[in-house]
Amino acid sequence: MSTVSESLARLSESMAGLSQRAKEAEDHIAAARKETREELEARVAEAKATAQRRREEMNARGTTVKDELASAWASLVAHVHEQFEKMQARLEEKRDDFDAKTAERRAERAEANAADAVDFAQYALDEAEAAALEAADARKIADSLHPDVPPSDR
């Protein structure tokens, strides 16, 4: 059994990792201004591979826990992945079509999809913060129900 302090330390470390990852993504996007199409295509492939690994990790975590929340989490992950795949498929339909109007529409769709993904990430971060604070509250309640157990033994 962990203490409130230990629980919050783990959650804080996770949020710090998320912050660091967001900074890396920001740096990659800023660097994209100076990259060639080939370099951008390689970066896109790398980002997609990272997203695929993360999705597999989340799916694995969801299958190890067999409760309603894990099932809801797995469902959410699958739905979000499906929506991102649909957006990506629409973008790739005309990938090699260099008609100016078509290319402009594709760029606008890609920019809108990126903005939507950022909005979703911000929403997910807000939810993560709320979940972490709820976990801290739940840990405080659990600890208060075990007054006879010293914190060092929890």
Side-chain angles (χ1 to χ4, degrees):
M1 182 183 318
S2 64
T3 65
V4 173
S5 180
E6 292 166 340
S7 178
L8 288 175
R10 282 192 306 273
L11 294 169
S12 180
E13 187 176 312
S14 293
M15 294 298 267
L18 182 59
S19 177
Q20 177 62 35
R21 179 62 189 100
K23 177 62 176 147
E24 289 169 5
E26 177 186 358
D27 292 346
H28 292 165
I29 292 166
R33 293 181 200 140
K34 298 174 186 169
E35 295 178 337
T36 65
R37 278 194 72 208
E38 291 78 18
E39 290 171 324
L40 282 172
E41 287 173 358
R43 193 176 295 278
V44 167
E46 182 182 334
K48 285 182 178 182
T50 299
Q52 173 68 27
R53 279 192 307 277
R54 181 91 56 204
R55 186 173 57 254
E56 289 169 0
E57 290 169 5
M58 289 187 311
N59 285 338
R61 194 172 2 151
T63 59
T64 60
V65 180
K66 303 291 183 196
D67 65 14
E68 284 183 33
L69 292 177
S71 175
W73 175 250
S75 176
L76 173 64
V77 169
H79 179 71
V80 168
H81 172 68
E82 180 183 321
Q83 296 308 309
F84 280 123
E85 289 292 317
K86 284 180 183 178
M87 289 187 303
Q88 191 62 39
R90 278 183 256 141
L91 287 174
E92 290 179 359
E93 287 174 357
K94 302 281 184 176
R95 183 172 190 92
D96 295 322
D97 188 347
F98 290 106
D99 171 74
K101 287 184 180 180
T102 303
E104 182 64 27
R105 283 193 306 270
R106 180 180 173 273
E108 288 172 358
R109 275 196 315 266
E111 290 162 353
N113 288 344
D116 289 345
V118 169
D119 287 345
F120 178 79
Q122 289 175 336
Y123 164 75
L125 179 58
D126 291 341
E127 287 295 328
E129 180 182 10
L133 294 172
E134 285 178 343
D137 184 48
R139 173 56 54 203
K140 283 189 180 273
I141 292 169
D143 288 354
S144 72
L145 296 174
H146 297 286
D148 56 326
V149 179
S152 61
D153 292 340
R154 289 187 200 147

